[in-house]
Amino acid sequence: VSRSTATTDTDADAAALLAAASARLSGAAATLASLAASAALVPVRTMHIALSRDVERYAVLCGEWMARHKPMYETAVGKVRSVVSQLWPRAQVKVFGSYATGLMRPGSDVDLVVTLPKVRTTTAIPNAANLEGLLDTAKDTWQANLARSLIQQPWVVPESVRTIETALVPIVSFATRFFTEGGVAVRLDVSFEGPLHNGLATNELVSRALAGRPALKP
């Protein structure tokens, strides 16, 4: 009985030792697996860091490019304002899109919107709308009138002028004789304010987002 009890105790001790060793081995295996997984992610993390830095550098380059070319773009926008004022004296031309928000990429078009004032007719001047030439839209669209005037401008490439009136927001698209680095012509897209035009509202939304979270720009 004594020998039997001793044997049982010895077996129990051996089992305990084996269990402890197994636990240590399992822990070591888990540690090795974790280290292997971390090592495998190193190239991915390196790629993410490199990509992030590239995007940040690109954002800086875009900002510098815009700063260098701003006078040229402002001149082109001023030319459009002059043409529009001849057609509709009280109309305004406003900039929206990436140029307005500072998110423009080199070579992108400049987006403009023409806001036409509401003309009130009275018994004294029943045809007050004629003062703005708005009644001409009965036979021609605003886009067509603007395109016709732009073609005659010496600073516009006449064959580049085209109207896209089937779009949700019709535009007049054209290239100018102003050129950026690399000989790329400055292009403009002109649209007209309307119930479906959200360009100016988008300006406010994006500008607020950038002001609140500067890291959003890149």
Side-chain angles (χ1 to χ4, degrees):
V1 173
S2 174
R3 284 197 296 271
S4 176
T5 302
T7 301
T8 301
D9 291 342
T10 300
D11 291 343
D13 292 342
L17 290 173
L18 286 173
S22 178
R24 286 195 295 271
L25 287 173
S26 296
T31 300
L32 288 173
S34 177
L35 291 174
S38 298
L41 287 176
V42 168
V44 177
R45 292 198 187 104
T46 302
M47 180 189 70
H48 287 171
I49 292 171
L51 178 60
S52 180
R53 289 173 179 169
D54 281 346
V55 172
E56 291 171 357
R57 282 195 293 266
Y58 183 68
V60 171
L61 290 174
C62 287
E64 294 173 347
W65 189 91
M66 280 191 65
R68 289 197 304 273
H69 293 87
K70 185 174 182 179
M72 184 183 303
Y73 281 108
E74 290 299 311
T75 299
V77 172
K79 294 284 189 181
V80 175
R81 288 193 172 113
S82 178
V83 173
V84 169
S85 67
Q86 293 175 13
L87 292 171
W88 305 287
R90 293 194 302 148
Q92 293 184 326
V93 176
K94 300 178 181 179
V95 184
F96 72 98
S98 61
Y99 180 73
T101 58
L103 299 177
M104 184 181 188
R105 294 181 298 108
S108 295
D109 297 349
V110 176
D111 297 306
L112 306 175
V113 56
V114 178
T115 61
L116 295 171
K118 297 184 183 300
V119 180
R120 296 181 179 178
T121 59
T122 65
T123 54
I125 312 179
N127 293 321
N130 277 329
L131 296 177
E132 299 295 340
L134 299 183
L135 291 186
D136 290 341
T137 58
K139 60 182 179 180
D140 222 345
T141 64
W142 295 332
Q143 291 81 14
N145 281 330
L146 178 59
R148 187 163 47 248
S149 295
L150 288 171
I151 289 174
Q152 300 171 5
Q153 303 303 314
W155 53 275
V156 174
V157 179
E159 59 270 20
S160 72
V161 179
R162 60 193 183 101
T163 59
I164 305 174
E165 300 191 21
T166 56
L168 187 64
V169 177
I171 64 171
V172 179
S173 178
F174 61 98
T176 70
R177 298 191 188 279
F178 301 107
F179 298 94
T180 63
E181 297 168 3
V184 179
V186 172
R187 297 192 60 91
L188 299 103
D189 291 339
V190 185
S191 53
F192 287 78
E193 187 179 34
L196 298 178
H197 200 299
N198 298 313
L200 298 179
T202 302
N203 277 359
E204 296 180 8
L205 174 66
V206 174
S207 296
R208 284 199 305 270
L210 292 174
R213 299 181 178 180
L216 180 63
K217 184 173 183 178

